[in-house]
Amino acid sequence: MQHELLCVAKTPYFGSSETLRRAFAAVHRLALAVARRTAPTVRGEFRFALALQGGGALGAFTWGVLDRLLEAPGFHLHALSGASAGAANGVVMASGWMAGGRDGAKEALDHFWHRVGVLPSLWRRLPTAFGFDPSWALEMASAVVSPYDFNPLNHNPLRPIIAELTDFERLRRPDAPPIFISATEVETGRARIFTNAELRLETVLASACLPHLFQAVEIEGRTYWDGGYTANPPIDPLRGVLERARLLLVLVNPRRRPGVPRTARDIAARLNQILGNASVWRETDALGHFDAIELPEDANPSSTADKYNNDWRYIQQLKDRGRDAAETWLSGSNPPAPT
């Protein structure tokens, strides 16, 4: 507002020269536009374009981040993108947002993760005397059998949950926030970005199709796996809204992790994190400054199989870490994102 008042106060009068008056009026309008665009903004009073990374159960950290952001009085969801669990978080939140504002979004996310947390889980451990390690069991099983063997009916427990909590017809309406969901085309290995007009239940299931657990999802004659392999999350599609919104990445894979992993499990876990962040580095290199909230280093999983851990206690811990990380970011004490 001060920028605009300054420009108005200094608008000169150009007498009877109509041509000159119009020319300077055009310059004045341009100055106002620049003033509005460059006016300082307050973190809590800005529209956000959210880019939500995927990572299986680690998406519960993102839930915690979103849960806290939705409590910030000035938070406004302007656009979002997501891959895998980030896509699920995104469409559930956006659907709840359109139905009931910030309270509707919080409630929808809460229902989603509570239902995920009561699904069957290997992490509800047998007594430790048996020496049962679900991470090891899942890693070994995925190396020798495929979902076409152990899941011939292609049952996906997320299907009824997402279908019940997401109004896809509402998300396809013109007044819905722009949404970009990534999936990986199996035959070409390229990312496919789905927009609002293409949003369906199958779109989200394709984005979250972990090939070790589920058969590839077919959409219009093409088959897809998890979007986290190629665009995790999609950032380029959000460039078109960044003049009106602030980009905030929510990341569950650490971009930096000190030390050299030496055990087979640690090496596999770090490789998974590097691959999960490859598209992030590629798409943010040209952005300059951006904001990011990341899963803390001490909360990172010890193995890739931990991303399949839907035990409620683990989900609740991740949510709490997400709320804490968002609180730190909102307080302004977060360090700048590395470039």
Side-chain angles (χ1 to χ4, degrees):
M1 181 61 71
Q2 292 177 349
H3 284 60
E4 295 182 26
L5 289 175
L6 181 62
C7 293
V8 171
K10 294 187 176 182
T11 302
Y13 174 69
F14 298 108
S16 60
S17 175
E18 183 66 19
T19 301
L20 189 61
R21 188 190 68 78
R22 289 181 179 179
F24 276 94
V27 173
H28 178 234
R29 287 194 297 270
L30 177 61
L32 280 177
V34 172
R36 291 188 184 104
R37 182 173 297 182
T38 59
T41 57
V42 179
R43 177 184 301 258
E45 299 177 351
F46 205 66
R47 295 172 179 266
F48 285 91
L50 302 176
L52 310 178
Q53 195 171 55
L58 300 183
F61 170 80
T62 303
W63 169 33
V65 171
L66 298 175
D67 191 66
R68 179 62 188 90
L69 290 178
L70 288 164
E71 295 172 359
F75 175 83
H76 181 82
L77 174 63
H78 185 72
L80 66 87
S81 71
S84 194
N89 272 324
V91 297
V92 169
M93 177 182 67
S95 183
W97 176 275
M98 293 192 70
R102 64 184 68 246
D103 291 337
K106 283 173 61 71
E107 183 178 356
L109 286 167
D110 188 75
H111 284 320
F112 175 77
W113 283 102
H114 273 83
R115 290 183 62 176
V116 169
V118 298
L119 292 173
S121 172
L122 284 173
W123 275 260
R124 298 187 184 95
R125 293 171 178 259
L126 294 173
T128 54
F130 290 94
F132 178 70
D133 185 340
S135 298
W136 177 86
L138 187 56
E139 289 171 358
M140 293 300 296
S142 64
V144 295
V145 295
S146 86
Y148 295 88
D149 299 320
F150 67 78
N151 188 11
L153 299 179
N154 201 25
H155 172 68
N156 188 331
L158 294 179
R159 177 183 290 275
I161 301 175
I162 296 174
E164 181 179 327
L165 295 175
T166 308
D167 186 342
F168 287 99
E169 182 177 353
R170 189 189 296 267
L171 295 182
R172 292 192 295 268
R173 288 180 359 194
D175 58 330
I179 299 174
F180 306 94
I181 301 300
S182 66
T184 302
E185 188 176 348
V186 176
E187 294 187 7
T188 67
R190 298 175 66 87
R192 165 78 184 274
I193 307 300
F194 295 94
T195 61
N196 292 65
E198 304 166 295
L199 287 182
R200 306 284 192 281
L201 176 59
E202 297 304 315
T203 307
V204 182
L205 295 179
S207 182
C209 179
L210 295 166
H212 297 306
L213 295 181
F214 308 115
Q215 298 177 23
V217 176
E218 183 174 335
I219 300 175
E220 299 176 349
R222 299 181 182 272
T223 52
Y224 297 93
W225 279 341
D226 197 290
Y229 296 117
T230 50
N232 191 23
I235 298 173
D236 279 343
L238 293 174
R239 292 180 186 272
V241 304
L242 295 187
E243 290 186 356
R244 303 180 301 279
R246 184 173 186 163
L247 177 63
L248 173 60
L249 277 62
V250 183
L251 304 176
V252 299
N253 291 316
R255 288 173 291 171
R256 291 191 176 96
R257 187 171 183 176
V260 178
R262 298 184 180 276
T263 68
R265 176 172 290 185
D266 288 345
I267 291 171
R270 184 54 183 153
L271 278 174
N272 183 267
Q273 293 162 352
I274 292 172
L275 292 173
N277 277 339
S279 67
V280 172
W281 287 117
R282 183 174 64 250
E283 295 193 50
T284 56
D285 276 346
L287 284 178
H289 173 78
F290 60 92
D291 290 289
I293 300 177
E294 298 186 53
L295 181 70
E297 183 182 326
D298 62 354
N300 288 315
S302 59
S303 77
T304 57
D306 284 349
K307 292 186 176 183
Y308 305 125
N309 181 358
N310 67 304
D311 181 76
W312 174 248
R313 293 167 297 180
Y314 185 57
I315 287 176
Q316 185 63 54
Q317 290 170 7
L318 288 169
K319 181 200 177 185
D320 292 342
R321 298 304 298 270
R323 285 188 57 88
D324 291 344
E327 183 65 43
T328 299
W329 186 83
L330 287 168
S331 72
S333 59
N334 57 300
T339 57

